[in-house]
Amino acid sequence: METPLTRNITLGKMPPDFAQYEKAGGYAALRKALRMAPGEVMAAVKEANLRGRGGAGFPTAQKWSFVPMGDDAPHPKYLICNADEMEPGTFKDRLLLEGDPHQLLEGMIVSAYAVQADVSYIFLRWAYKLAAQRLEQAIAEAYRQGYLGRNIAGSGYSLELHLHVSAGRYMCGEETALLNALEGKRANPRAKPPYPQVSGLWGKPTVVNNVETLCCVPHILNHGAAWFKNLSRSGDGGTKLYGVSGRVKKPGLWELPMGTTIREILEEHAGGMRDGYQLRGLLPGGASTDFMVADHLDVAMDFDSMQAAGSRLGTGTMIILDDKTCPVGMLHNLEHFFAQESCGWCTPCWSGLSWVEQILKGLEDGKGQVSDLERLQSHARLLGPGHTFCALAPGAAEPLQSGLKYFGDDFDRHIHEKRCPWK
Ligand SMILES: Cc1cc2nc3c(=O)[nH]c(=O)nc-3n(C[C@H](O)[C@H](O)[C@H](O)COP(=O)(O)O)c2cc1C
Ligand code: SF4
């Protein structure tokens, strides 16, 4: 099984420096891309069927294709790597940032070349201090070696690349709030359209891509689209970093073929549930995805299969709910996070989430009423798609509405026993 994204990464070891990365075949994709026309690079990524790993699975080349090209295109154009990674339960980009920073830089430079960007930013989660250190070092090396700056490798193409450390809010990871944050403004999302590809950072064409998405790009150029598609067990190309946290024997992160089933990830790689614990449910792709249950274990973790099964692939990092943890308590914890991170722009989100949090706390404290269930259902509907400016609220609605569906008996027990049965 090939693991291109993590091939240079050994936990506990330093990442490859420039010389080691290049010796292992690094920057060959960049040199190859610079000999191709930007449109050819885009075509290779399109053919590979790379879908964005930031959560929504938007086809990467299609996103790039909206950027104005040619002599009349506005400049400067920007390419931004979204490394804000604050989704609860998600730690996949951290591995790539800390473990192989040159791979990310190469992916960013190739992608920037494809859309003819002039300036690039890595928008990094504030808490990722080690990643910041390693990225700074890799960026300096890439400048010294002529892979960043003016006239990259004598190609005539120039790119400036900067590291920007986020202010530290979940909201800053939403791509248009990220743009406002980079401009030094309050991190509220922007209305779309116009989309960032046309009018993004400082009103100029901008592409925002996730770390894992960008890390796939050099491998597509090196080995071809057919090879990339063959890595996957589904129609979406490539491998995927899958993670598991919770009461399993071996929590962790693995690079596996896209479309690996939940069962295989949970039982073979995470070693199954810890002794004495049973699986009750799981959030498959971070906190803002719908709960799945034991009936879903054979679903393939790819974008379309997960959607067909009523959830989302999201970030591909599962949070496990076991039989000794209160589902209402878990939801209270999650909704507290979402309420705290709401940017306050739309009423169903800022007001609704604090109500949801209060109702869940009341249930946990034994003060729940039968009417609370209807109120929670109604908030879940109003937080859902179409009522708010950005996807934070619909993301918060997903565990809530699926939690009410799968763990209704637990809610009833809290109300009728006037206490949390797990306390
Ligand atoms: C509240 C919120 C937080 C987000 N945080 C991140 C993040 O930390 N990293 C990320 O790549 N995408 C995040 N996203 C998704 C981005 O808006 C965007 O879709 C993504 O960066 C696009 O990259 P991709 O096309 O490579 O998937 C977030 C979205 C929302 C609504
Ligand atoms: S949904 Fe929430 S986080 Fe998103 S814009 Fe509205 S208030 Fe802000």
Side-chain angles (χ1 to χ4, degrees):
M1 186 171 62
E2 289 185 88
T3 53
L5 298 182
T6 52
R7 78 204 186 289
N8 290 332
I9 304 178
T10 312
L11 280 185
K13 283 213 168 159
M14 289 295 287
D17 62 13
F18 179 85
Q20 291 161 332
Y21 181 73
E22 204 173 37
K23 197 167 163 214
Y27 288 108
L30 173 58
R31 289 191 298 272
K32 184 173 180 181
L34 293 172
R35 291 192 299 271
M36 295 162 73
E40 290 175 314
V41 177
M42 217 180 274
V45 173
K46 181 171 184 208
E47 176 61 26
N49 210 3
L50 173 63
R51 295 179 66 174
R53 308 302 200 234
F58 196 82
T60 305
Q62 194 183 340
K63 181 183 266 191
W64 295 356
S65 72
F66 300 131
V67 174
M69 299 293 280
D71 293 342
D72 298 339
H75 281 270
K77 294 195 252 182
Y78 297 96
L79 179 120
I80 297 170
C81 169
N82 190 344
D84 202 44
E85 190 157 68
M86 271 188 69
E87 181 71 27
T90 300
F91 44 96
K92 66 179 185 75
D93 295 339
R94 179 179 179 183
L95 182 79
L96 298 171
L97 294 161
E98 291 180 0
D100 199 359
H102 277 291
Q103 172 176 246
L104 174 64
L105 295 188
E106 187 177 10
M108 288 181 69
I109 305 166
V110 173
S111 306
Y113 176 75
V115 296
Q116 292 289 284
D118 310 273
V119 183
S120 207
Y121 289 93
I122 301 172
F123 190 94
L124 182 70
R125 177 178 173 175
W126 68 277
Y128 284 3
K129 309 270 190 246
L130 184 61
Q133 246 177 39
R134 292 180 175 178
L135 285 166
E136 290 280 17
Q137 197 173 330
I139 293 167
E141 283 178 319
Y143 267 106
R144 269 200 303 277
Q145 300 295 334
Y147 285 133
L148 279 174
R150 297 206 60 74
N151 192 20
I152 294 175
S155 65
Y157 174 65
S158 304
L159 180 73
E160 298 299 332
L161 191 147
H162 309 281
L163 177 67
H164 176 93
V165 176
S166 168
R169 300 311 300 255
Y170 178 53
M171 195 53 223
C172 294
E174 195 281 338
E175 62 181 11
T176 59
L178 181 156
L179 298 177
N180 278 339
L182 256 183
E183 289 183 11
K185 299 178 185 148
R186 182 174 155 176
N188 287 341
R190 296 178 179 176
K192 292 189 248 184
Y195 289 92
Q197 295 93 313
V198 176
S199 176
L201 194 62
W202 289 293
K204 300 291 190 206
T206 304
V207 164
V208 182
N209 275 133
N210 171 258
V211 173
E212 189 183 350
T213 313
L214 292 164
C215 286
C216 290
V217 172
H219 305 290
I220 294 171
L221 273 254
N222 271 334
H223 303 289
W227 169 87
F228 190 76
K229 280 197 275 196
N230 275 336
L231 292 174
S232 164
R233 291 189 195 156
S234 80
D236 310 328
T239 56
K240 177 78 193 81
L241 291 185
Y242 293 111
V244 180
S245 59
R247 290 199 170 101
V248 291
K249 289 194 178 117
K250 293 182 291 177
L253 194 65
W254 306 271
E255 182 179 6
L256 300 170
M258 174 67 92
T260 303
T261 63
I262 299 174
R263 185 187 298 282
E264 185 180 328
I265 298 165
L266 192 56
E267 293 179 359
E268 287 182 31
H269 300 282
M273 298 300 291
R274 273 200 229 161
D275 294 338
Y277 292 94
Q278 300 281 325
L279 175 76
R280 281 213 68 201
L282 58 104
L283 295 167
S288 48
T289 53
D290 283 273
F291 274 103
M292 298 177 93
V293 290
D295 291 349
H296 296 119
L297 283 180
D298 293 313
V299 175
M301 291 267 286
D302 61 54
F303 293 104
D304 296 340
S305 309
M306 293 298 280
Q307 198 164 359
S311 187
R312 288 189 308 117
L313 176 60
T315 58
T317 45
M318 301 177 203
I319 306 172
I320 303 295
L321 170 68
D322 61 78
D323 62 338
K324 297 197 169 51
T325 300
C326 172
V328 178
M330 178 175 174
L331 269 172
H332 176 230
N333 186 315
L334 292 174
E335 299 301 335
H336 168 72
F337 169 82
F338 289 121
Q340 181 179 281
E341 295 297 328
S342 165
C343 80
W345 204 236
C346 358
T347 306
C349 180
W350 70 259
S351 173
L353 281 173
S354 45
W355 277 113
V356 167
E357 191 193 348
Q358 274 185 45
I359 298 169
L360 292 170
K361 183 169 185 319
L363 285 161
E364 277 290 274
D365 291 346
K367 295 179 187 145
Q369 321 242 332
V370 176
S371 59
D372 286 346
L373 297 180
E374 215 171 294
R375 290 167 71 209
L376 286 173
Q377 294 282 10
S378 146
H379 280 298
R381 189 174 50 77
L382 289 168
L383 288 164
H387 298 110
T388 57
F389 246 93
C390 90
L392 184 144
E398 289 184 26
L400 178 62
Q401 56 110 7
S402 52
L404 286 164
K405 176 165 104 187
Y406 291 120
F407 310 117
D409 289 351
D410 301 88
F411 281 88
D412 288 344
R413 280 188 68 189
H414 281 73
I415 295 165
H416 295 118
E417 294 177 24
K418 297 199 180 306
R419 66 183 187 100
C420 170
W422 277 264
K423 281 184 188 155

